[in-house]
Amino acid sequence: MRFSNVCLDAIGTEIPQEIWTSDDLEQKLEPLYSRLKLPEGRLALMSGITERRVWPQGTMPSEPSVRSARRAMEASGIAADRIGCLIHASVCRDFLEPATASRVHHELGLPSSCWVYDVSNACLGLMNGAVQIAALIEAGVIEAGIVVGTENSRPLLEQTITQLNADQTLTRQSVKPAFASLTIGSGSCAWLLAHRDVIRSDAAGRDRQPTLLDTAIAEARTEFHDLCRSDQDSAGAGMTPLMDTDSERLMAEGIATGAAAFDRLLSESTWTRPDISRTVCHQVGSRHRVAMLEAMGLSQENDSITFPSLGNTGSVALPLTLAAAAKRGDLCRGDQVAMLGIGSGINSVMIAAKWGDTTVSGNIDAIV
């Protein structure tokens, strides 16, 4: 998909205050570590993740989503009545039904004519939602839209720790599929996209140079859909989030999928590798990052990360990392940015954009 008129006008963020370090998790897993004689420091060493954050007990995903979406609206200055689509796109949601987007839409006071729905695609939800909104804007159906999501890792972490400590049959080999669950973190992010004609001038009256979306592509390798699964999502299910992940094979097939998707992004956008000023990838861990960038022929020096401080925050991992990159000055006007999303399934969504004056609001500064 090619775009000529779609801008990423503002980003709203919220990350939790409560921090769980990898050392904290290993202390909680002391019964398992003692029985299997696992070395301390293993979790941080293997993942490159030193800490992750969790929401307070009982937090519903819609609550932080409302706050991050509101911050994006305030940063943008686009009136609520011009927002024509609201998509809630995280793995986590309030209920099976209604759509979590319904509560967010209500709390934001968006118009009744707005398209309101949820999108779910593992770690790619926000990327998918952004592309859907961009397509509506480019087609002239709406002037602006918001994609937002909140991931809540606390239930997954707590259930994983409880199960690992209780299961006396686990061995050093059989415990491996649970490792990925311990890398998950929490966070919330909203992107406000708009037609370039509705982007307002800044406070000094100068015309802003908006961040323009250029190209979006998708790559599906769904023969690997069974490599990472979490819970059973059906009426009456316990909704107790536990993950079963073949981490080694998922990483190998994910990298192959991402490399193929990146080749398509270059072809569709007509960009070359030297044209790319900055990359932002899905945030899994250090091994994944090094192997992915190497497979794509890209430099680590030009890649922004947040996983050491936030862990893998699912669908908001890449959006939050883009916000952090903007806040710490990794991104400058005119930079050509490649957003390289990959999620279990296996699917990949990638977006090429020319960076401009996107405003970032929220407490992402805490990790910058």
Side-chain angles (χ1 to χ4, degrees):
M1 301 179 72
R2 299 298 303 273
F3 304 105
S4 300
N5 298 297
V6 182
C7 306
L8 175 56
D9 191 38
I11 303 175
T13 68
E14 181 161 348
I15 55 176
Q17 300 299 315
E18 187 175 348
I19 297 172
W20 288 10
T21 67
S22 290
D23 288 343
D24 291 336
L25 290 188
E26 290 185 336
Q27 290 176 20
K28 295 175 188 291
L29 287 165
E30 194 277 333
L32 174 78
Y33 268 58
S34 293
R35 187 173 65 80
L36 297 183
K37 296 180 173 56
L38 298 173
E40 293 182 4
R42 171 191 179 99
L43 186 53
L45 181 65
M46 291 180 64
S47 67
I49 296 168
T50 56
E51 60 187 39
R52 73 284 292 138
R53 293 167 180 251
V54 296
W55 301 108
Q57 287 275 9
T59 298
M60 300 288 274
S62 60
E63 296 165 10
S65 287
V66 168
R67 294 193 290 270
S68 55
R70 185 171 284 132
R71 285 172 177 153
M73 291 173 64
E74 291 169 352
S76 167
I78 292 176
D81 62 8
R82 303 186 82 170
I83 305 296
C85 183
L86 185 283
I87 299 174
H88 197 274
S90 49
V91 175
C92 297
R93 47 187 172 157
D94 288 1
F95 306 103
L96 286 176
E97 60 174 320
T100 304
S102 298
R103 182 186 180 189
V104 179
H105 173 269
H106 171 71
E107 295 292 339
L108 295 176
L110 300 182
S112 60
S113 57
C114 191
W115 294 84
V116 183
Y117 57 96
D118 288 356
V119 163
S120 177
N121 191 17
C123 295
L124 291 173
L126 261 78
M127 296 282 281
N128 280 118
V131 173
Q132 290 181 15
I133 289 170
L136 290 172
I137 292 170
E138 191 73 23
V141 177
I142 62 173
E143 292 183 305
I146 298 171
V147 57
V148 62
T150 294
E151 302 295 12
N152 183 8
S153 63
R154 185 178 202 123
L156 174 61
L157 291 171
E158 290 178 338
Q159 290 291 333
T160 300
I161 291 166
T162 298
Q163 179 177 344
L164 292 181
N165 283 332
D167 190 346
Q168 299 298 306
T169 68
L170 288 171
T171 65
R172 284 193 170 205
Q173 185 65 32
S174 63
V175 78
K176 287 183 178 180
F179 174 78
S181 300
L182 300 173
T183 69
I184 304 300
S186 303
S188 180
C189 193
W191 283 4
L192 191 152
L193 298 105
H195 194 285
R196 64 193 307 172
D197 291 345
V198 306
I199 302 299
R200 63 178 172 84
S201 296
D202 66 19
R206 298 184 300 270
D207 286 338
R208 295 173 62 202
Q209 178 179 305
T211 295
L212 286 168
L213 269 60
D214 181 278
T215 307
I217 64 97
E219 178 82 12
R221 300 284 182 90
T222 55
E223 61 267 35
F224 305 114
H225 65 274
D226 58 349
L227 297 182
C228 181
R229 292 181 292 197
S230 176
D231 202 22
Q232 186 178 29
D233 188 8
S234 59
M239 293 300 288
T240 302
L242 291 170
M243 290 174 61
D244 183 15
T245 307
D246 184 342
S247 297
E248 293 299 323
R249 193 170 176 214
L250 180 65
M251 185 171 82
E253 300 299 351
I255 289 170
T257 303
F262 182 62
D263 285 343
R264 288 193 51 225
L265 183 70
L266 293 178
S267 175
E268 299 273 349
S269 65
T270 70
W271 288 10
T272 65
R273 284 173 177 80
D275 292 332
I276 297 173
S277 314
R278 176 64 48 178
T279 58
V280 180
C281 303
H282 176 54
Q283 303 292 294
V284 177
S286 52
R287 286 183 59 217
H288 179 275
R289 179 198 185 211
V290 170
M292 176 63 72
L293 293 175
E294 183 177 295
M296 293 180 180
L298 295 168
S299 166
Q300 292 183 52
E301 287 72 27
N302 296 328
D303 182 62
S304 295
I305 60 172
T306 55
F307 65 79
S309 299
L310 293 182
N312 177 354
T313 53
S315 69
V316 299
L318 188 154
L320 282 174
T321 305
L322 185 72
K327 274 291 187 179
R328 59 178 168 242
D330 291 350
L331 298 170
C332 302
R333 269 191 179 195
D335 280 354
Q336 297 193 166
V337 184
M339 305 173 217
L340 312 176
I342 300 173
S344 56
I346 293 174
N347 291 292
S348 179
V349 175
M350 297 186 176
I351 297 174
K354 186 174 182 180
W355 194 255
D357 299 323
T358 296
T359 307
V360 179
S361 177
N363 66 345
I364 194 68
D365 306 64
I367 66 160
V368 172

